[in-house]
Amino acid sequence: MFFCAPAYRHATRLHGTVRVITPLVAARVFARLGKEPLDSRKDGMLWLLAANEPGLAARLVTKDEALGDPAIFVKWLDALTASGRRWEVLEVLSDKRNPLPDIQTRLYQANTLKLLGRWQESHDFYKRVLEWSFDKPQARIKAMTYVYLAGENRLFEWSLRPLLKSPGPARAALRAFLPVAQSLRDIHQTRRLHELALEEGGLPQ
């Protein structure tokens, strides 16, 4: 279990050494931290997320506070998403103060739409991000990785195939994506990447 130090100290003052995070412990930590300065509440939000209490975590930091800190903003979005407040995620992503890069915002929007069951809109968002990133190598790899991890295999393959038509880009693509598939122990995808490279001619037979 991961503990942020300030929040952990609050928990141990209340309950001694915390080995199992019960809803009661989390609620009491939340109540105490709600009166603390922002830095302590940020730590507390991460602690509550790690304790599987996203609803409480999201309430420790206000929308305005989250928008003012890109690193915390991402975690706050995760807390909103995990606690079912997905419409709020879409709303705040459209806020002009959103500190995230455009590509990251669009990927979050696509994922949130998917979680809301708006499949076609989600697909269209993912595809537009991939199209936008085609001439931006680093952004393209990032977008494709996100799409793959989101389980959008058809879109992933659609964006991957052009990279596999010549040896240099094919090797670079395999260096980027094979470790991702292997880290997930995705044997099928690992094999599929090699198959696609052979189909498109980027790797020698």
Side-chain angles (χ1 to χ4, degrees):
M1 174 63 71
F2 162 78
F3 294 102
C4 295
Y8 181 70
R9 285 198 293 272
H10 280 294
T12 52
R13 285 196 206 110
L14 288 167
H15 302 281
T17 300
V18 180
R19 297 186 183 276
V20 178
I21 310 301
T22 66
L24 178 60
V25 169
R28 289 184 177 176
V29 172
F30 168 80
R32 177 69 63 87
L33 284 172
K35 304 172 185 177
E36 294 294 316
L38 179 57
D39 284 346
S40 292
R41 286 187 283 114
K42 289 177 180 178
D43 285 337
M45 185 183 73
L46 298 178
W47 187 87
L48 286 165
L49 268 175
N52 198 29
E53 291 288 346
L56 293 177
R59 290 165 54 197
L60 265 185
V61 175
T62 69
K63 173 183 173 180
D64 289 340
E65 289 168 342
L67 285 164
D69 185 328
I72 289 298
F73 184 64
V74 169
K75 294 297 184 181
W76 186 69
L77 290 178
D78 290 344
L80 288 180
T81 299
S83 56
R85 296 165 61 183
R86 292 159 190 163
W87 286 105
E88 291 178 59
V89 173
L90 287 181
E91 180 183 327
V92 75
L93 285 170
S94 299
D95 194 298
K96 63 182 180 181
R97 297 170 294 167
N98 175 359
L100 300 181
D102 184 62
I103 185 172
Q104 193 172 0
T105 293
R106 290 182 179 276
L107 289 169
Y108 265 105
Q109 288 171 323
N111 184 61
T112 304
L113 288 166
K114 184 177 181 179
L115 292 172
L116 287 167
R118 294 164 63 177
W119 308 106
Q120 188 59 51
E121 289 176 82
S122 174
H123 178 275
D124 292 344
F125 262 84
Y126 280 132
K127 189 172 183 180
R128 283 198 294 270
V129 172
L130 292 169
E131 289 171 338
W132 172 85
S133 69
F134 271 5
D135 60 347
K136 304 171 181 66
Q138 290 186 336
R140 185 175 186 175
I141 294 297
K142 179 177 181 179
M144 290 173 64
T145 301
Y146 193 102
V147 167
Y148 165 60
L149 292 173
E152 297 290 338
N153 292 332
R154 290 185 180 180
L155 276 175
F156 174 72
E157 289 194 10
W158 170 78
S159 60
L160 178 63
R161 283 183 180 276
L163 296 176
L164 300 178
K165 294 185 180 297
S166 56
R171 286 193 293 269
L174 291 178
R175 282 197 301 270
F177 300 119
L178 277 175
V180 178
Q182 291 165 349
S183 71
L184 297 174
R185 299 182 179 180
D186 189 342
I187 297 172
H188 170 77
Q189 188 63 49
T190 300
R191 184 169 58 248
R192 182 64 177 154
L193 287 170
H194 286 291
E195 290 173 352
L196 288 171
L198 291 172
E199 287 177 16
E200 297 298 331
L203 292 181
Q205 295 288 340

